[in-house]
Amino acid sequence: MHLRLIVPSDRNERVLDTLVADPRVTSIVSLPGAAHRPAGDVIECDVTREATSEILTWLKAEGLYDDGTVAMTGVDAAPSRNAQEAEKAAPGAPDDAVIWDAVVDQAYNEAGGSWVYYVFLALATMIASVAVVTDSAILVVGAMVVGPEFGVVAALAVGLFLRKGGLTRRSFSLLVKGFVLAIAVTALAALLARAVGWVDVNDVTAARPLTGFIWRPDKWSAVVAVLAGCAGVLSQTAGRGNALVGVFISVTTVPAAGDLALSLALWAPHHIGGSAAQLGINLAGMTAAGVVTLMLQRLIWRSYLRVKRRAGARVEA
């Protein structure tokens, strides 16, 4: 991870000396007096993922979060010998380390509730409703990919795990408002389509061999939701965002919302309960799995570091 710090001048020497003395830090650059807002010295460095949380905690204790700034970016490649030696000095594998400050910051960003989130969720739900009408498995997958809801589910899991009430409330509220709006917009579109004769209730209640699973949740719905929640949170904390696409196309949240909107608009009472249950099971399962995954990550990483420190102490003795 690349860190760019703005350090008050009275703390520059202490911060710089600490970073230089840490073998897990490399590519250290100091630019005295280069920063203007806030005023201070600029320090840049590369830190192994395994050490980033520890160093950020120390920087927070030094007051840089309040009196200076801390910015992080991922380093895609660092083939130099210095970087490789820094990596060797850090115990564990980079993907195993969780940078908690980055996780929390990302969670707050996801829970921000931009208009783009609402638009994408509404569009995804409308695509899912077309998938129901046409019994198209391909459109179901497309709706899953377009849906942006997992980031908010992950933010809810982070808020619950770290006991951040504000983040939890914002995430839960955004999920509810997003799906209510998406279902309402899709229901209105379905009413318009019915008015012009494009759809009727038979399009919802007829046998749908490819999409009937959407409104018939079973034990496997819960299993998939839990597995997807684990995979999604793990991909975010490990910096493997490309794995999220697989998560998007494995859960039935958006398709269930599309089925629910159609069932409400065309009035298919039997389907309303099933699709609502499918939506609830998926959201609850992913959230619970996310909380458990975060808990296990913290527990396993702390246990691993404790074992490594004990082993290092025995070697030194």
Side-chain angles (χ1 to χ4, degrees):
M1 300 297 293
H2 180 75
L3 300 186
R4 187 185 73 248
L5 314 174
I6 295 181
V7 185
S9 299
D10 61 332
R11 275 160 274 184
N12 179 65
E13 185 175 353
R14 181 164 65 252
V15 171
L16 189 59
D17 289 347
T18 301
L19 293 176
V20 170
D22 195 323
R24 302 168 300 177
V25 184
T26 187
S27 304
I28 303 170
V29 177
S30 177
L31 302 171
H36 297 280
R37 184 183 298 161
D41 304 328
V42 175
I43 296 178
E44 298 193 23
C45 60
D46 292 341
V47 185
T48 61
R49 279 185 61 91
E50 303 91 313
T52 302
S53 278
E54 181 182 339
I55 288 175
L56 290 176
T57 300
W58 182 80
L59 292 173
K60 183 183 293 185
E62 289 294 312
L64 260 67
Y65 279 44
D66 297 320
D67 304 328
T69 63
V70 177
M72 283 182 291
T73 55
V75 177
D76 293 332
S80 66
R81 182 174 60 83
N82 286 330
Q84 293 170 357
E85 289 178 352
E87 186 58 54
K88 290 178 182 178
D95 285 351
D96 295 335
V98 179
I99 305 173
W100 291 103
D101 283 8
V103 170
V104 172
D105 187 64
Q106 182 180 6
Y108 274 105
N109 288 337
E110 293 286 359
S114 68
W115 66 269
V116 174
Y117 165 80
Y118 291 103
V119 171
F120 268 112
L121 189 54
L123 291 173
T125 304
M126 294 178 73
I127 293 172
S129 69
V130 176
V132 170
V133 172
T134 60
D135 193 31
S136 170
I138 293 177
L139 286 180
V140 169
V141 174
M144 290 173 171
V145 174
V146 173
E149 77 282 1
F150 184 79
V152 187
V153 173
L156 177 59
V158 171
L160 289 170
F161 173 66
L162 297 178
R163 299 179 181 179
K164 293 184 176 294
L167 177 59
T168 300
R169 288 188 295 272
R170 285 171 59 180
S171 303
F172 181 78
S173 175
L174 184 58
L175 273 177
V176 172
K177 290 189 294 185
F179 274 106
V180 167
L181 178 63
I183 290 170
V185 169
T186 304
L188 289 174
L191 290 172
L192 178 61
R194 185 178 68 173
V196 298
W198 286 10
V199 297
D200 58 40
V201 69
N202 291 327
D203 291 315
V204 178
T205 59
R208 303 199 319 257
L210 297 181
T211 60
F213 68 93
I214 293 174
W215 69 275
R216 291 197 298 265
D218 55 19
K219 60 186 177 183
W220 297 113
S221 301
V223 170
V224 171
V226 168
L227 295 176
C230 292
V233 169
L234 190 61
S235 68
Q236 288 192 317
T237 55
R240 295 294 185 93
N242 57 334
L244 280 177
V245 176
V247 174
F248 294 158
I249 62 176
S250 64
V251 290
T252 324
T253 49
V254 166
D259 197 298
L260 178 57
L262 273 177
S263 301
L264 288 169
L266 304 178
W267 195 243
H270 186 58
H271 283 244
I272 292 174
S275 53
Q278 182 77 272
L279 178 60
I281 288 171
N282 276 272
L283 291 175
M286 286 192 295
T287 302
V291 172
V292 172
T293 300
L294 291 168
M295 179 181 67
L296 289 176
Q297 281 185 284
R298 172 172 281 185
L299 178 64
I300 292 171
W301 182 249
R302 285 181 173 178
S303 299
Y304 176 80
L305 290 180
R306 194 157 43 242
V307 170
K308 294 294 289 185
R309 289 191 184 104
R310 289 175 182 172
R314 286 198 295 269
V315 170
E316 291 176 2

